[in-house]
Amino acid sequence: MNLEKSRELYARASRSQAGGVSSNVRLAEIPSPLFFTHGSGSHLTDVDGNIYIDYVLGQGPDIFGHAPAWLNEAAADAMQLGVTFSGQHELEIAVAEKLQRMIPNADLVRFASSGTEVVQAALRLARAYTGRNRFIKFEGHYHGWADSVSYSTTLPDATASGAREAPVAVPMSAGIPASAASDVITLPWNDIESVRRALDAHAHDVAAILTEPVMCNTNCIPPEEGYLRGLRDICDEYGIVLIFDEVITGFRIAPGGAQEFYGVTADLSTYAKAIAGGFPLAMFAGKGEIMSLLADGSVLHGGTLNGNLLGLGAANACLDRISGEDAPLRRMQDTGKALMEGLREVFRKHEIPALAQGAGSVFALTFTDAERITDWREHAERADTGMYAAFAAGMLERGVRLTSRGVWFVSTEHSDEDIARTIDAADDVIGSL
Ligand code: PLP
């Protein structure tokens, strides 16, 4: 396939932008960072004229596909009024009230711009509310790129993380202050006993348990039966704030996110990505008692662009669709499940051991002989990431764009034809590997 123009532009971009990209995540694009001219629905077109069925979807936000006319219109209409006032507009109230109706723990909400910052706001609130300092974070979970949470997210192997019973928090970047590591306790996920053991030693100083409710950032590992409920009970027992990071699951796996899907309510929860269908908006929600620390001014949360009308106009329209009678998220789940099943059939046919797991509208594909993978250590030991990279490269050549880390995002715009073409491409790639 011809990627000549993308490669030329990438070389040029690297002379003006660090690494030629705006996020380190994009450095990992296989075979090299691509440049696109436009997207439409489930498709993206690159500068060399290649058209892809897109399962990256901006790393998740584009639940209604690329450039939906109704969404662009809603954002543009709002934008005509002005964008950033450092003052209030009625649209903020309208969107906040919709969120209160949709999200189980949303006594109160606050708007922001990115997932990274709303996680930081939630941690600050949890510390202020409890008067404690440390927090539990799970291996393999990603919560943005800030210092406090950039530990044990992705690693080539698990050895750097020490023994399962005594995990070491491994920084994911140079430049993180060494002091940050003493505030975080990293633990394997899906293991309630390890949380209990950690709290035996540290309960008096743990402000929060921060978790992705589905481990979307590593292999889309679902919570074991009763695990989220177990975390809820432990938090109640020890007076710890339970934070669900719903930046991926929110407005994707159900209108009320994982809290609705699994029937477990968090004290605080964080959202970005799908809330505004790809327009810049983030939000955190929580119980009145905790969120009111923002209202009395004792906890600082700021942001020049917070509550801007571009993001709110888009979110207003998205939330109407998501909670409307058409139930687009259910359709998206069904599409994703059909795709997962089709992929499984291809791997069975070729006798290639692989695992497709996840909720449907977001799932992961892993080459492994494990029947199930339940945490990040198992993933690090048993997933053949080299084979996945070769598979993703083969899919790109056949016009299917995948994330490099194995997570697939599905939109409302992926059609039966897209799914059939994707399954055919997978069949072809596996046959050739
Ligand atoms: N939390 C989770 C679960 C995420 O997946 C991400 C991003 O992928 C973030 C937080 C950070 O969000 P953002 O990239 O908007 O800062």
Side-chain angles (χ1 to χ4, degrees):
M1 102 187 296
N2 180 12
L3 298 176
E4 201 179 323
K5 282 192 187 148
S6 257
R7 290 202 162 104
E8 273 170 27
L9 286 175
Y10 183 52
R12 184 176 145 207
S14 300
R15 293 194 288 274
S16 58
Q17 299 162 71
V21 294
S22 298
S23 158
N24 276 30
V25 175
R26 296 174 205 167
L27 287 172
E29 177 119 33
I30 300 166
S32 71
L34 297 181
F35 282 72
F36 298 97
T37 53
H38 63 283
S40 173
S42 58
H43 289 74
L44 264 183
T45 303
D46 74 12
V47 287
D48 290 288
N50 303 302
I51 300 174
Y52 307 97
I53 303 171
D54 184 26
Y55 294 100
V56 180
L57 294 178
Q59 298 289 346
D62 305 328
I63 50 170
F64 297 108
H66 296 284
W70 58 269
L71 181 55
N72 286 351
E73 273 162 30
D77 284 352
M79 199 176 78
Q80 299 308 319
L81 308 170
V83 174
T84 301
F85 301 152
S86 191
Q88 286 51 250
H89 187 279
E90 260 188 64
L91 196 52
E92 273 180 282
I93 306 175
V95 177
E97 287 176 351
K98 283 176 190 168
L99 292 166
Q100 280 180 320
R101 289 193 289 274
M102 291 170 77
I103 296 176
N105 71 345
D107 294 340
L108 293 168
V109 307
R110 263 281 172 100
F111 295 109
S113 297
S114 73
T116 297
E117 56 180 297
V118 287
V119 169
Q120 296 306 306
L123 285 173
R124 179 176 284 179
L125 272 172
R127 287 186 167 115
Y129 180 72
T130 59
R132 302 175 191 164
N133 187 44
R134 303 176 89 183
F135 69 98
I136 289 174
K137 177 212 175 277
F138 297 99
E139 295 174 333
H141 291 213
Y142 178 72
H143 300 290
W145 59 273
D147 287 347
S148 61
V149 290
S150 293
Y151 287 94
S152 304
T153 296
T154 51
L155 278 180
D157 65 68
T159 49
S161 291
R164 197 170 206 291
E165 300 70 38
V168 175
V170 183
M172 294 289 95
S173 168
I176 295 177
S179 55
S182 61
D183 292 338
V184 60
I185 300 168
T186 50
L187 295 177
W189 198 56
N190 256 337
D191 177 355
I192 212 78
E193 283 316 309
S194 77
V195 178
R196 286 213 170 271
R197 273 196 306 276
L199 290 176
D200 282 346
H202 303 292
H204 62 285
D205 197 27
V206 172
I209 295 181
L210 171 64
T211 185
E212 287 186 65
V214 176
M215 204 203 285
C216 294
N217 280 297
T218 301
N219 209 22
C220 237
I221 299 172
E224 293 284 279
E225 184 73 33
Y227 180 69
L228 296 177
R229 168 64 50 202
L231 292 180
R232 175 70 276 170
D233 291 346
I234 285 178
C235 285
D236 289 343
E237 189 178 330
Y238 290 98
I240 293 170
V241 174
L242 180 61
I243 306 172
F244 279 2
D245 181 351
E246 298 235 39
V247 165
I248 291 182
T249 49
F251 313 104
R252 177 169 275 284
I253 67 171
Q259 295 190 78
E260 176 186 328
F261 194 87
Y262 291 105
V264 176
T265 304
D267 298 308
L268 296 173
S269 47
T270 55
Y271 304 83
K273 298 201 191 266
I275 188 172
F279 283 86
L281 191 78
M283 182 273 294
F284 56 105
K287 296 194 172 153
E289 227 184 315
I290 308 177
M291 294 293 285
S292 58
L293 296 174
L294 297 166
D296 70 19
S298 55
V299 171
L300 172 66
H301 166 247
T304 302
L305 302 178
N306 293 358
N308 71 79
L309 288 198
L310 177 67
L312 284 173
N316 196 34
C318 278
L319 297 180
D320 282 347
R321 289 254 164 162
I322 288 169
S323 53
E325 280 182 9
D326 189 31
L329 300 193
R330 212 168 303 145
R331 214 172 56 239
M332 229 161 75
Q333 294 289 54
D334 291 344
T335 306
K337 283 180 187 161
L339 177 54
M340 284 162 78
E341 199 39 50
L343 291 169
R344 287 187 190 116
E345 262 170 44
V346 167
F347 299 121
R348 275 196 293 270
K349 178 179 130 189
H350 290 275
E351 297 181 359
I352 297 284
L355 200 58
Q357 62 180 17
S361 62
V362 53
F363 69 90
L365 178 65
T366 310
F367 294 104
T368 177
D369 54 11
E371 296 218 332
R372 292 172 74 226
I373 288 187
T374 58
D375 78 5
W376 169 83
R377 284 170 186 254
E378 255 181 307
H379 176 77
E381 281 158 20
R382 303 196 61 180
D384 186 342
T385 49
M387 170 117 173
Y388 187 82
F391 174 76
M395 291 295 275
L396 193 82
E397 277 176 21
R398 289 158 182 83
V400 180
R401 181 177 182 239
L402 306 178
T403 70
S404 57
R405 66 191 203 284
V407 182
W408 297 48
F409 294 103
V410 177
S411 75
T412 56
E413 302 310 293
H414 283 88
S415 63
D416 291 348
E417 195 199 330
D418 290 332
I419 301 308
R421 276 184 50 206
T422 305
I423 292 166
D424 283 350
D427 193 13
D428 200 32
V429 174
I430 291 295
S432 72
L433 277 181

